[in-house]
Amino acid sequence: AKNGGRNQCRMFVQEMQKGLQKRLIITERLKAAVAREEIVPFYQPQYSLVDGGLVGCEALARWADAELGFVGPDIFIPIAEQTGLVTVLGEQLLKRACLDALTWSTPDRGLGCPMVCVNISPIQFERDDIAKMVRRVLDDTGLPAARLEIEVTESVLIADTQKAAATLLELSDMGVTIALDDFGTGYSSLSYLRSLPLNRLKIDRTFVRDMHERPAQQIVNAIIQLGANLGLCVIAEGVETEEQRQMLAKMGCQDGQGYLFSAAVPARDVHRLIEAAVPQ
Ligand code: C2E
Ligand code: CA
Ligand code: CA
Ligand code: CA
């Protein structure tokens, strides 16, 4: 039994070393991928649950490495944060997203022009002057500020509330809109919802997933009511079934996003989503 314990311990150490090795390899590949600008945004459409219009597209980072294959953002964004690569990567992705969004206007067909929604990592938000970076990218690309939405999570607001508030205000003064991502999963004090220049609440997909059960359904309903009372737009993430869509629409949720409508698609496919959507 003693020996067994020691063997287990050795196996554990080996596993850990393997894990670390894998991480080191990913980190090295990530550095190269960022240098070559190989990580690009795909876009997941967001639809009005009221009239079916295409209201926005969320940029989601995609990385297909020649050696590692497809690596998901849940793996590489945290590594990019820990290694500081997120600063360069974040600006790269924002710039790409703005340039892509510039090609989405279809004035000839009278269709609405979807907004582009870009995630900003809490680490990046804390460390860098995000307002300055966004200003620079908007100036460089020529995208009107009103076409850009920045998604931040609640953790951003807890770390340094004063600084976060100042940054959000700067962005909002530029005309950029701000969405609070994964809403309901953080430790929000509801008072800041009133004091910050927010435009949108994104209901976390775990609540939408469990909406067939009363507790989650009540949380979703409470968030929608909260949004209505504060004059914020509410969007549900992770809408996968027709039943969920109908429940959300009935509860008064304005917008939805999820596999029911579409997964994230490459930039070149967005125009197809625009043409398939009904005029707003
Ligand atoms: P998120 O911002 O909450 O993004 C939503 C995630 O849910 C995406 O995963 C999306 O593909 C997935 N999703 C969309 N619809 C459905 C659905 O109906 N069902 C389910 N189960 N999932 C759905 P993805 O692309 O793997 O991204 C994971 C996370 O990585 C994102 O969560 C975000 O936190 C981060 N991330 C992705 N791209 C970026 C980026 O460009 N910058 C930063 N800072 N973070 C990013
Ligand atoms: Ca998001
Ligand atoms: Ca989210
Ligand atoms: Ca998330």
Side-chain angles (χ1 to χ4, degrees):
K2 229 182 190 175
N3 247 337
R6 193 176 294 160
N7 276 340
Q8 258 180 7
C9 187
R10 188 179 301 145
M11 266 164 59
F12 177 70
V13 169
Q14 278 172 352
E15 280 305 304
M16 229 172 68
Q17 277 170 343
K18 255 194 249 163
L20 284 174
Q21 221 169 16
K22 180 95 208 257
R23 249 188 102 75
L24 270 177
I25 293 169
I26 296 180
T27 305
E28 281 312 305
R29 301 293 305 174
L30 185 62
K31 261 186 216 154
V34 171
R36 294 192 213 110
E37 305 200 22
E38 283 172 0
I39 301 175
V40 298
F42 274 35
Y43 298 94
Q44 186 176 39
Q46 306 172 334
Y47 293 96
S48 162
L49 299 180
V50 181
D51 62 19
L54 177 64
V55 292
C57 289
E58 179 176 4
L60 293 163
R62 294 293 180 261
W63 177 27
D65 184 75
E67 275 171 32
L68 301 170
F70 178 79
V71 185
D74 279 335
I75 306 278
F76 69 78
I77 294 287
I79 296 178
E81 288 175 341
Q82 283 152 21
T83 53
L85 283 167
V86 78
T87 299
V88 177
L89 175 60
E91 181 160 350
Q92 246 173 44
L93 287 165
L94 178 67
K95 194 164 184 178
R96 253 317 239 288
C98 290
L99 289 172
D100 286 339
L102 278 171
T103 70
W104 297 345
S105 48
T106 53
D108 47 320
R109 298 196 47 219
L111 296 172
C113 202
M115 298 226 293
V116 64
C117 310
V118 177
N119 293 282
I120 298 288
S121 128
I123 305 287
Q124 194 189 354
F125 195 93
E126 256 172 67
R127 241 190 264 151
D128 307 330
D129 190 338
I130 290 298
K132 212 161 102 192
M133 189 273 279
V134 169
R135 177 78 274 165
R136 181 170 61 235
V137 172
L138 288 175
D139 287 345
D140 286 356
T141 60
L143 185 78
R147 297 271 319 277
L148 176 66
E149 182 159 275
I150 293 295
E151 294 193 8
V152 297
T153 54
E154 295 166 87
S155 61
V156 154
L157 309 170
I158 297 150
D160 184 346
T161 314
Q162 293 287 311
K163 187 177 162 240
T167 302
L168 293 184
L169 205 61
E170 244 184 285
L171 288 169
S172 155
D173 283 345
M174 279 179 220
V176 173
T177 57
I178 296 147
L180 204 46
D181 203 359
D182 303 345
F183 188 70
T185 59
Y187 311 88
S188 18
S189 109
L190 294 181
S191 63
Y192 69 51
L193 287 183
R194 230 170 8 122
S195 61
L196 293 174
L198 301 172
N199 304 85
R200 219 174 189 200
L201 297 179
K202 297 195 78 175
I203 306 176
D204 190 71
R205 68 169 187 259
T206 53
F207 301 122
V208 177
R209 181 194 62 203
D210 298 338
M211 226 171 29
H212 55 279
E213 287 160 4
R214 282 292 284 169
Q217 193 184 320
Q218 279 168 336
I219 291 171
V220 168
N221 196 48
I223 295 175
I224 294 168
Q225 295 311 315
L226 182 69
N229 290 334
L230 294 169
L232 302 176
C233 182
V234 177
I235 176 166
E237 314 188 285
V239 182
E240 293 184 355
T241 69
E242 182 54 33
E243 199 182 354
Q244 290 165 346
R245 186 189 69 76
Q246 279 175 17
M247 278 172 82
L248 288 161
K250 208 186 269 173
M251 285 193 250
C253 185
Q254 284 99 339
D255 303 330
Q257 158 180 11
Y259 296 158
L260 173 66
F261 307 107
S262 170
V265 301
R268 63 176 177 277
D269 292 343
V270 171
H271 72 269
R272 261 193 264 148
L273 298 173
I274 293 173
E275 297 193 350
V278 301
Q280 279 166 271

